[in-house]
Amino acid sequence: MPDNPPDLAARVTELRRQGVVGVTIVWADNNGIPRSRTVPIAALEQVAERGVGVTAVFPVFDSHDGITFAYEGLSTPSGDVRLIPVVDRLVALRGQPGFAWAVGRQVAADGTPWPYDQRSILAGQVAAAAKRGLRIQAGWELEFVLFPSDARTLPASPAYSPAALLSVDEFAADLLRDLDANGLRIGQLHAEYGPAQFELSLAVADPLRAADDQLLARQTIHAAARAHGLRASFAPMVTTQGAGNGWHLHSSVWRDGRNLLPGTGDHGLSPEGEGYLAGLLRELPALTALTAPSVPSTARLRPGAWSSAYAVWGVQNREAALRYIPGTPLLGADQANVELKPSDASANPYLALAGVIAAGLAGIEEKLSLPAPVQDNPGAWSAEQRAAADVRRLPATPAEQATALEASTLLRAALGPAAYGAFRAVRDADRAWAAERPAEEVVEAHLWKY
């Protein structure tokens, strides 16, 4: 077990001075749903050393708070693990006076590593990149819909308009203040395409911090919404026909302070940059089982919705599942990154990013090459045109996702057999639950999970 940082006692004293009485320790389960424990501020130093007990079966909670015992490794309700706060991520929450927040990691009862801890799985992939002299940078764009607490929807305003943001003006101002006070850097906040839909872009960071920031941003948005009589939903689908909420994942790969994506090769890519994208493209059908894993996720990934229904890449093509964004003379070559569009809030951010890194590293190592980019909407092509270009549909059902992930030895190895077994059991349980219900009920059941 790591020793407490030398300044923890001083930080506790400062938190007390700010009026903090409790610390909420948060992790994300295999449905992307944040779970937590809150401890008194007086207990933080002890909890930072010894953790707080949680049941061992959280990895087999499904999206509806059911517990599946279909995975043999977690087939009984017995067992306990320790949740340890990452005190380097400790922050007093501006929007929740009296509370501080920290992300947590899970260890076995004796303090040894626990194979189901998703944050540790991501740390393993970060270490694998470091062994190759590589560093990954990542960040999310978060789409969400705001509802009045006493109504089903907000009045629609023109997409991307200041009028839409004006309708929640006080909320937006407080949210920006809260994000800044909570240590979250953002690129922009704006009204999105759907009715009452908004988007927030988080600044890029190292993978662990990026995933932590995603969880903290959720907490910050929910608290700001509540303070203004609103409710925020990050659910992949808000209605069966709506635009849906994506949480697009941007990433880049670096060596010795230089972004490896841009270069003088085809489409402005370096050989290693091409390998990174090609690795993502090869694993894309299986990768979406980690990045967009819920039953409503597959409903969102449909043609013509800018949510990416086909396994293609393109340069600045918003219909492509992998959108390469080159650097420009204005921004600089190092701003180049790749956006993974079939991604949403139902993904565990640590597992999603671990899968991205594993796929990208493999593409670099194997020197994979890319096919020609797709620069228009393949959903508008005929079936014959798509077949001629070898453009294939991404998995359109949870069962197809499960088959694709099972076939990916790379991604299963990145998760490890234990975490993969639990993840697969949860997805099977969700699929069975949804099979007996109409689409409207499935969407409604997920609306306030995120």
Side-chain angles (χ1 to χ4, degrees):
M1 298 292 293
D3 294 329
N4 288 344
D7 66 340
L8 181 56
R11 295 179 71 183
V12 168
T13 298
E14 174 60 20
L15 289 172
R16 284 179 177 276
R17 190 192 64 77
Q18 295 177 54
V20 169
V21 296
V23 179
T24 299
I25 309 167
V26 179
W27 76 99
D29 72 6
N30 279 329
N31 313 288
I33 296 174
R35 310 285 183 175
S36 69
R37 290 288 190 271
T38 297
V39 299
I41 187 65
L44 181 59
E45 290 182 75
Q46 177 181 328
V47 170
E49 181 178 348
R50 299 180 182 178
V52 61
V54 297
T55 174
V57 299
F58 271 114
V60 288
F61 267 56
D62 66 22
S63 296
H64 314 286
D65 293 339
I67 301 171
T68 174
F69 293 116
Y71 169 60
E72 184 178 358
L74 294 171
S75 58
T76 76
S78 301
D80 205 46
V81 298
R82 307 300 291 179
L83 178 67
I84 310 289
V86 180
V87 294
D88 286 346
R89 295 310 321 267
L90 187 61
V91 59
L93 295 170
R94 181 185 183 277
Q96 294 177 254
F99 289 93
W101 179 98
V103 71
R105 58 186 184 86
Q106 299 166 73
V107 300
D110 62 358
T112 57
W114 198 50
Y116 304 95
D117 180 52
Q118 296 96 340
R119 196 174 191 273
S120 296
I121 290 169
L122 175 56
Q125 290 302 313
V126 171
K131 286 181 180 178
R132 297 167 171 82
L134 301 176
R135 179 172 60 90
I136 307 297
Q137 291 278 277
W140 271 270
E141 295 173 341
L142 316 181
E143 292 178 347
F144 58 96
V145 172
L146 288 174
F147 298 89
S149 57
D150 59 351
R152 190 63 177 81
T153 186
L154 283 173
S157 297
Y160 307 107
S161 73
L165 204 58
L166 182 64
S167 67
V168 291
D169 194 45
E170 294 81 7
F171 157 81
D174 265 354
L175 176 59
L176 291 174
R177 295 185 189 103
D178 292 351
L179 291 164
D180 183 62
N182 292 352
L184 292 170
R185 297 176 298 120
I186 71 164
Q188 58 182 348
L189 169 68
H190 65 269
E192 250 292 340
Y193 184 77
Q197 187 181 45
F198 303 90
E199 181 179 280
L200 178 79
S201 60
L202 293 170
V204 297
D206 69 86
L208 287 169
R209 185 177 186 91
D212 294 347
D213 284 354
Q214 197 230 62
L215 292 182
L216 179 55
R218 295 183 189 215
Q219 186 88 4
T220 305
I221 293 167
H222 278 306
R226 188 197 65 163
H228 291 276
L230 302 168
R231 295 184 76 183
S233 176
F234 308 123
M237 295 292 287
V238 176
T239 68
T240 55
Q241 301 301 318
N245 292 316
W247 282 28
H248 305 154
L249 175 52
H250 293 253
S251 65
S252 56
V253 57
W254 298 65
R255 179 186 289 119
D256 298 330
R258 182 176 65 86
N259 189 342
L260 296 184
L261 293 182
T264 57
D266 291 343
H267 316 295
L269 286 160
S270 72
E272 288 171 306
E274 180 174 2
Y276 183 80
L277 263 72
L280 296 179
L281 184 63
R282 182 180 65 180
E283 299 296 330
L284 195 55
L287 197 55
T288 62
L290 297 178
T291 62
S294 69
V295 175
S297 297
T298 52
R300 190 181 75 86
L301 304 182
R302 61 193 190 278
W306 283 15
S307 59
S308 309
Y310 295 94
V312 298
W313 81 284
V315 181
Q316 290 288 27
N317 181 4
R318 286 177 168 80
E319 272 290 347
L322 289 173
R323 173 188 170 217
Y324 177 54
I325 304 168
T328 65
L330 178 63
L331 299 178
D334 278 350
Q335 295 299 307
N337 68 89
V338 58
E339 178 186 29
L340 175 67
K341 294 184 71 66
S343 172
D344 63 50
S346 68
N348 179 289
Y350 303 97
L351 294 186
L353 198 41
V356 165
I357 295 172
L361 293 181
I364 292 173
E365 196 163 283
E366 298 175 38
K367 297 181 171 60
L368 297 182
S369 58
L370 287 165
V374 172
Q375 293 303 110
D376 52 358
N377 178 11
W381 297 357
S382 67
E384 292 75 17
Q385 288 175 306
R386 287 193 291 269
D390 196 28
V391 168
R392 301 180 185 182
R393 186 81 153 82
L394 287 171
T397 67
E400 290 178 6
Q401 283 189 335
T403 299
L405 185 57
E406 177 67 26
S408 175
T409 55
L410 177 72
L411 295 187
R412 286 192 287 109
L415 268 60
Y420 170 71
F423 183 85
R424 177 66 185 270
V426 168
R427 300 275 65 80
D428 289 347
D430 267 16
R431 185 170 71 250
W433 181 93
E436 302 174 354
R437 291 166 170 82
E440 291 80 7
E441 183 179 346
V442 173
V443 168
E444 185 70 25
H446 287 77
L447 185 60
W448 304 119
K449 299 293 183 183
Y450 303 101

